[in-house]
Amino acid sequence: MPFIYYIMKTLFACLVFLLYSVVALWAYYNCNWCYTTNQETSETVYFDKATDSFIPPTGKFSNKLIVLNHASDTILTYPAGIKIIPHTDSIVLPLAFNTVVKDLKAYLKKNPATTIQIASNSAAAESTKDSILKNKRGMRLKKYFVENQINDKRIFITTNPLNQNQLLDIRLVKMDTARLKVYENSIRTKILYSKFRAHNFKPDTALIAYTKELLIYLKKYSTKSITVIGHTDAAGNNEDNVWFGKQRAKNVRNYLISQGVPEEKIIIQSKGETNPIVPNDTEANRAKNRRIEIIIN
């Protein structure tokens, strides 16, 4: 009996270790940018998995966030703002920063021909060799907005803030003709990668964000129709893959309808494995071929 107890105890310990390892590996390889909460400062802190180190909570430049409109009028101010780590491209966002995202989304919905311009600067205490950090800090903030369902084609970076004392500020600028064309093209043709399978379909951030933009687009172009095309990799036979592609397209169609897109505007198709964008010779390539293509006609 003692021997059996020892064996069972050892097996249990091994199972716990394996479970912990799987969770740790998933977190490491599936999160390019992760968040952690600094309990002392109640802030959300970006850290880079490449360095595997957290941003320290000390030695930061404070930056009250100001949002300006196209006429350079201040329309939103967030005293908590953003904190910047000197001589690095790292930024620290307060936990309440989701309010900024919510307000920006509301503004963009009411003003669809508007883009977000992130203006980034370096501090006087930083050396000239740190000037490259200006753009990188802006890119950090852009990535945060994109992760929170703001179309990346509506965000661009400049290194010339209107207020030179500001390290980061945001301007909501009317799109010019060229930028509006780029933005609308990003709506007219869209490739989505997600788990579109029938039994566990769940809209991801990319599909949710795209659907919101699509609804705005259709208000402007009310006569347009939508084609949703399902694509697969080359695993299995072609007949099955055509079926899988169609089921995935149906899932997306049903989600679009549930969000307010008129059913009669949507056509679904499946091209199965017949239209790969890369060779089906590696798992990474096969994942690229398993996709949904949305075309606005």
Side-chain angles (χ1 to χ4, degrees):
M1 289 296 293
F3 178 74
I4 294 175
Y5 174 77
Y6 174 78
I7 293 296
M8 295 295 291
K9 185 177 179 180
T10 302
L11 287 174
F12 179 77
C14 290
L15 287 173
V16 171
F17 175 77
L18 286 172
L19 179 61
Y20 176 82
S21 300
V22 169
V23 172
L25 286 170
W26 177 88
Y28 185 84
Y29 286 105
N30 289 276
C31 180
N32 290 331
W33 286 97
C34 299
Y35 305 92
T36 184
T37 300
N38 183 310
Q39 298 297 331
E40 180 182 352
T41 59
S42 296
E43 292 169 336
T44 298
V45 183
Y46 269 118
F47 78 98
D48 190 344
K49 76 172 186 181
T51 61
D52 199 28
S53 60
F54 293 100
I55 295 171
T58 58
K60 296 172 289 193
F61 297 123
S62 294
N63 186 81
K64 179 175 70 175
L65 181 63
I66 298 174
V67 179
L68 310 170
N69 66 9
H70 64 278
S72 299
D73 300 320
T74 299
I75 58 173
L76 298 170
T77 302
Y78 301 92
I82 300 172
K83 294 182 180 179
I84 295 171
I85 310 301
H87 313 294
T88 76
D89 58 352
S90 301
I91 61 175
V92 181
L93 306 177
L95 290 178
F97 201 77
N98 59 346
T99 302
V100 179
V101 176
K102 182 179 179 181
D103 290 343
L104 287 176
K105 286 181 179 179
Y107 189 94
L108 293 174
K109 185 176 181 179
K110 293 179 181 178
N111 302 273
T114 301
T115 187
I116 298 174
Q117 177 178 299
I118 300 173
S120 181
N121 199 6
S122 57
E126 295 179 297
S127 63
T128 54
K129 69 178 182 180
D130 293 324
S131 60
I132 194 173
L133 300 177
K134 295 189 292 185
N135 187 64
K136 289 185 176 181
R137 287 168 181 162
M139 291 300 295
R140 292 276 190 262
L141 190 54
K142 177 178 179 178
K143 183 176 179 66
Y144 178 84
F145 288 147
V146 171
E147 288 172 349
N148 284 275
Q149 304 173 11
I150 295 179
N151 188 323
D152 67 328
K153 297 298 188 296
R154 298 185 78 165
I155 309 170
F156 67 100
I157 312 297
T158 178
T159 55
N160 296 302
L162 291 179
N163 183 349
Q164 292 301 313
N165 294 321
Q166 286 291 115
L167 300 183
L168 280 171
D169 63 34
I170 296 173
R171 279 172 268 180
L172 298 170
V173 183
K174 289 183 178 179
M175 295 184 189
D176 58 24
T177 302
R179 188 167 292 277
L180 182 60
K181 183 178 180 180
V182 171
Y183 166 66
E184 291 189 342
N185 283 342
S186 75
I187 305 298
R188 280 194 287 266
T189 303
K190 186 70 174 179
I191 301 294
L192 294 168
Y193 295 93
S194 187
K195 295 180 179 178
F196 297 115
R197 288 172 291 185
H199 297 298
N200 60 354
F201 171 73
K202 184 178 180 180
D204 64 358
T205 299
L207 178 57
I208 293 170
Y210 174 76
T211 303
K212 292 176 181 178
E213 300 282 353
L214 176 61
L215 289 168
I216 295 171
Y217 179 88
L218 291 175
K219 286 183 179 180
K220 183 177 180 180
Y221 301 101
S222 58
T223 61
K224 297 288 187 179
S225 61
I226 304 161
T227 302
V228 181
I229 307 171
H231 299 270
T232 70
D233 59 28
N237 62 66
N238 184 59
E239 184 177 349
D240 287 343
N241 286 334
V242 169
W243 183 86
F244 282 124
K246 191 169 185 179
Q247 294 306 306
R248 293 167 184 173
K250 281 183 179 179
N251 285 335
V252 174
R253 178 197 63 185
N254 292 341
Y255 174 74
L256 294 178
I257 293 170
S258 74
Q259 298 303 301
V261 178
E263 181 176 358
E264 64 274 12
K265 286 185 173 291
I266 307 174
I267 301 168
I268 63 168
Q269 297 178 6
S270 173
K271 294 190 176 180
E273 64 187 65
T274 62
N275 193 22
I277 55 177
V278 291
N280 283 290
D281 52 1
T282 66
E283 179 52 37
N285 278 357
R286 287 189 287 273
K288 291 178 181 178
N289 289 328
R290 296 191 296 267
R291 67 197 189 278
I292 287 291
E293 182 180 7
I294 299 178
I295 300 173
I296 311 299
N297 304 298

